[in-house]
Amino acid sequence: MGQVVRRLGGEVVITDMAAHVLGREAAPLGEALGAVLAREGIELVLSSSVTKARRDGDDYVLELEGGQELRGDRILVATGRRPRVKGLGLDTVGVEENAHGVPVDAHLRAADGLWAIGDVNGLWPLTHVGKYQGEVVADNILGTPREANYEAVPRVVYTDPQAAAVGASTGRYSATLAITEIAKIATYTRAYADDKGFITLLSDGDRLTGAYALGPESGEWLQQATLAIRSHLPLDVLADTIQPFPTFSEIYVGALKKLRQQIAAGSKAGGTEPTTSG
């Protein structure tokens, strides 16, 4: 929303208690997105808590710890989401809600003959997870026992460029490849020649355990990592996969090469310390 307002000509300040935007994701991803927002003229006030909000004439005023004040025409508050479970009569069907919503088992069953899917169960408040859970429950209702698996949940922030992540945020081995390192990236458009986008792959030495990326439609091309993590695909198979040219998926070729070099170097050294390639 900050980008929308800024691109319509408004002045925007984003404040957050975290040290970087996307505080729940890996720091390099949040820092890279923050740099994109700053280049657009969006001011970031991070690692700072809001202590008070008030009106002063036509202005809204935020008071921050340390005495700083922010003034503006509007305040957009994003404080997260909580399941709305009060007053649903859950007690009449033997369900007792908790602070996270409706408790469910691995099959998403809340009670005999009763299932809970989507935000109400408090597991993953994402639309695509709710759709997935609906399919899991449908199978269970129709007689095919199925447990929900959250090992590889894709997380996408629809900024421009998109920020996307899946799996773990840290790993024993890590390798990063910039979009500009994709062969003939200017084939798409010369604008990408100076793009700040990248992908980071994380591994335990045998397979991918996580990945995150910043780039045009990264939510699309990061799905390859999602499948690899979910299926426990060996790195050798992923590295031997043919990537079409010209696509952003080619970024996996160079990133996997760097990752396997890191793993090989770690093995020679005894593999006792995590390694990172930038």
Side-chain angles (χ1 to χ4, degrees):
M1 290 303 299
Q3 280 190 314
V4 170
V5 173
R6 179 60 182 153
R7 293 181 181 188
L8 289 174
E11 298 294 326
V12 177
V13 180
I14 295 177
T15 181
D16 201 309
M17 294 174 61
H20 56 81
V21 295
L22 307 185
R24 295 183 180 180
E25 300 294 350
L29 181 61
E31 290 166 354
L33 179 58
V36 168
L37 299 177
R39 285 197 299 272
E40 291 195 22
I42 296 175
E43 181 181 350
L44 302 177
V45 180
L46 304 172
S47 300
S48 184
S49 298
V50 176
T51 59
K52 186 182 297 184
R54 59 184 171 84
R55 290 296 298 270
D56 183 9
D58 292 333
D59 290 343
Y60 289 90
V61 181
L62 293 183
E63 297 181 15
L64 308 182
E65 58 182 4
Q68 182 181 1
E69 287 189 350
L70 300 175
R71 289 176 173 268
D73 298 323
R74 296 289 187 272
I75 299 176
L76 174 62
V77 182
T79 59
R81 288 168 285 178
R82 293 180 181 173
R84 305 176 79 177
V85 294
K86 298 295 184 181
L88 296 182
L90 294 175
D91 57 315
T92 66
V93 290
V95 175
E96 183 176 351
E97 73 271 11
N98 57 33
H100 302 288
V102 177
V104 295
D105 63 16
H107 298 272
L108 297 168
R109 184 181 292 107
D112 187 31
L114 182 67
W115 288 261
I117 65 174
D119 294 2
V120 73
N121 61 39
L123 295 174
W124 280 92
L126 298 170
T127 300
H128 45 278
V129 173
K131 292 170 63 178
Y132 165 75
Q133 290 176 343
E135 295 170 355
V136 171
V137 167
D139 280 348
N140 284 309
I141 290 175
L142 295 174
T144 302
R146 181 179 173 187
E147 294 186 356
N149 185 297
Y150 306 107
E151 186 176 7
V153 177
R155 311 179 295 274
V156 186
V157 181
Y158 296 97
T159 43
D160 179 22
Q162 291 179 6
V166 62
S169 298
T170 59
R172 181 178 182 184
Y173 298 101
S174 170
T176 299
L177 191 81
I179 284 179
T180 52
E181 295 183 71
I182 302 176
K184 297 185 178 179
I185 187 65
T187 300
Y188 302 91
T189 169
R190 295 188 183 279
Y192 293 154
D194 298 318
D195 198 285
K196 304 300 182 183
F198 65 92
I199 190 171
T200 294
L201 301 180
L202 308 168
S203 175
D204 59 5
D206 297 316
R207 61 184 182 87
L208 285 187
T209 54
Y212 53 87
L214 181 76
E217 303 299 330
S218 63
E220 299 283 354
W221 41 272
L222 199 67
Q223 193 64 6
Q224 188 170 158
T226 300
L227 180 59
I229 294 169
R230 177 63 182 89
S231 63
H232 296 193
L233 190 71
L235 287 179
D236 288 346
V237 175
L238 186 57
D240 194 46
T241 299
I242 299 172
Q243 305 292 348
F245 170 83
T247 68
F248 284 113
S249 292
E250 283 190 286
I251 201 169
Y252 285 94
V253 176
L256 284 165
K257 183 178 180 179
K258 281 191 174 184
L259 183 62
R260 295 172 83 194
Q261 289 172 344
Q262 290 293 322
I263 294 171
S267 298
K268 290 180 180 179
T272 56
E273 294 292 336
T275 53
T276 303
S277 173

